[in-house]
Each structure stands twice: as structure tokens, then as C-alpha cells.
Amino acid sequence: MSNIVLLKKTVSSVNKSKEKRQARKLEQRRIADGMSYVTSANKLKELAPLCKELLVYSNKDLEIDMYIQKVSELDKKVLDWAISLTERNMKSLYETCAWGWNKDDKVEQMMDDTAWYLIAKDKNNKLQAFSHFRFDMDFGDPVLYCYELQIEAEGRRRGLGQRVLSVLERLAQATRMRCVRLTALTHNPSAAAFFRACGYSLDETSPPKEEISHYEILSKATEATAMEDDTLPEPPNTRIELAGS
């Protein structure tokens, strides 16, 4: 009788060990696939064909055309405007939280080699809004991370911010990112309300509220995230060996 019990325990232990190894292999493949999606997305020369119909927007007298470029291709005057708009919109909010405002750090972030820019201008060629975003691995997930979504005062509350997010969501879907993810300051309630109205919710990577009080991580999953693995197309051939308002 004791031998039977011992055999059952041995079989159970072996099965659990196999399950753990299988789980590790699946996780390694998931991360490797995610890294390949990010690499493929960053190798794209043009993103506009993936969301062409969303790049034109109008709301009454507001007529907007948008274009997407890597930071290395962005006109210096446009980049300077984006930096200026970010400072005008965000400096006081940063100064009233633990981060503080450091323009040099912000400029360095906005000029990162992997940065993409979605630029919106009106029919008079006046710059109205932009988003700085990147395709990246974040906590093991391939994501489109929205670093900035900034709008000039005259372009707000006219649906432009929602359209910009729609473009990012389409890009995330088309490039097989898991979600659009972003950081929102908790002491900017209007921005948090805007993102939630657009379908964004608290992300699993957001720090516990008892630990961090001045920001939270929000996200909106792409449609592919909810699909079963066996219904998804094969990942790109390009592979990276694992070593991680």
C-alpha cells in the first residue's frame, strides 16, 4: 500500500515538473514572439498605410490632416513645437508631483531613437496635436506605449484626442502589439477621465495605490489579445534570441 502511495506521489511530482517546464517554454516563446513583433514594427518605413482612413478628421470647422514619422525624420521646427507644447501643458503638473519637471530629461526622452510621432495639423497648416509613441517590450509584453498625447487649447474637446488614440489603437492592432499602454498622472483627473471614456482601464502593471500616488498605468487591449493562440497567424520570421488629453 505504501509503495502505491509513493508511486502516486512520484507520478504527481513528475507531472508537475513537466507542467512547469512546459509553462516556461510557452512563456519564453510568448516573449520571443513579442520581441519579434516589436522588432518588425520598428523596421517599418511607413505606418500611414496601416491606418490611412483615420488620418483625416473633421469636426465642424476643425479640419485635420495627420502624418506619422520617426523622430529622425521629423522637421526640427515640428519637434521644437512638440517639446514646447509638452512643457506648456505638463510643466505645472510635473512640478506638483514627485517627478518634478526636468526639461533636459523630457527632451532626451522625446528624442529617443525609437520614438515615432503622429502629428496633426489643421487646414491652415497650424499644428494642433501630436502623440509620441513607441513599439516596445514592457513587462514582457509587446506594446505600443503612448508617451505623450498633447493638444493645443483650441483643438481640445472636439474629438481630436479620441481620434489620435484611435490611430494608435489601429497601429497596435496591425503590428500585433498586446495593447496601447500609457502613464496618467492621478492629479490630472480630466485626463484620467478622458482615457477611461475612450475605453482605457487600470493596467495590471500599474503600481499599487498605497505605494505610488501620483501616477497610474492605463491600457486598452487590442482585439488580437483576446484571441486564442492557435487562431493567430504565425509570428514574423525575424527572431531575437532570449537572454528582456
Side-chain angles (χ1 to χ4, degrees), residues 218-230:
L218 304 177
S219 65
K220 185 174 182 179
T222 58
E223 293 177 11
T225 304
M227 295 173 64
E228 294 295 330
D229 288 344
D230 59 0

Side-chain angles (χ1 to χ4, degrees), residues 22-229:
Q22 182 66 13
R24 282 198 298 270
K25 287 181 180 179
L26 290 174
E27 179 65 6
Q28 288 174 346
R29 176 179 176 178
R30 186 187 71 82
I31 294 175
D33 287 349
M35 293 174 72
S36 72
Y37 301 147
V38 168
T39 299
S40 296
N42 280 317
K43 284 183 177 180
L44 292 172
K45 301 297 183 183
E46 294 284 343
L47 294 182
L50 302 178
C51 55
K52 189 174 181 180
E53 72 278 13
L54 295 176
L55 297 179
V56 177
Y57 176 75
S58 63
N59 185 343
K60 297 181 179 178
D61 61 330
L62 181 67
E63 297 180 15
I64 294 291
D65 283 310
M66 290 179 259
Y67 64 92
I68 306 168
Q69 289 183 327
K70 289 185 176 180
V71 66
S72 58
E73 302 167 346
L74 206 59
D75 185 276
K76 185 180 183 302
K77 290 182 179 179
V78 175
L79 181 60
D80 288 344
W81 161 80
I83 293 169
S84 172
L85 178 59
T86 301
E87 183 170 15
R88 284 183 276 128
N89 285 353
M90 303 302 296
K91 182 179 179 180
S92 61
L93 288 166
Y94 272 63
E95 289 176 335
T96 54
C97 74
W99 286 340
W101 174 258
N102 186 313
K103 184 174 181 178
D104 290 340
D105 286 350
K106 177 56 70 174
V107 170
E108 183 178 358
Q109 181 192 77
M110 294 178 69
M111 295 182 68
D112 188 272
D113 290 343
T114 61
W116 288 85
Y117 279 81
L118 171 62
I119 306 294
K121 58 182 181 178
D122 65 21
K123 61 184 178 181
N124 298 315
N125 244 16
K126 183 176 180 180
L127 297 165
Q128 289 289 352
F130 83 92
S131 175
H132 157 209
F133 65 94
R134 304 181 201 174
F135 300 104
D136 204 358
M137 290 295 290
D138 188 55
F139 288 91
D141 294 324
V143 304
L144 186 156
Y145 210 106
C146 175
Y147 280 78
E148 303 287 345
L149 171 51
Q150 304 295 341
I151 304 175
E152 291 282 6
E154 62 193 85
R156 295 175 198 161
R157 301 186 181 280
R158 307 177 77 175
L160 180 55
Q162 185 174 2
R163 173 52 67 91
V164 169
L165 286 179
S166 294
V167 174
L168 300 187
E169 291 156 16
R170 175 67 64 82
L171 292 175
Q173 175 73 23
T175 54
R176 294 185 56 79
M177 298 298 106
R178 179 177 175 81
C179 64
V180 175
R181 190 173 284 169
L182 55 88
T183 303
L185 296 174
T186 54
H187 58 294
N188 186 8
S190 61
F194 162 73
F195 289 124
R196 282 181 165 80
C198 291
Y200 287 73
S201 58
L202 196 66
D203 189 82
E204 59 188 7
T205 66
S206 191
K209 290 185 178 181
E210 59 270 19
E211 293 181 13
I212 301 293
S213 60
H214 67 279
Y215 76 91
E216 59 186 1
I217 308 299
L218 304 177
S219 65
K220 185 174 182 179
T222 58
E223 293 177 11
T225 304
M227 295 173 64
E228 294 295 330
D229 288 344

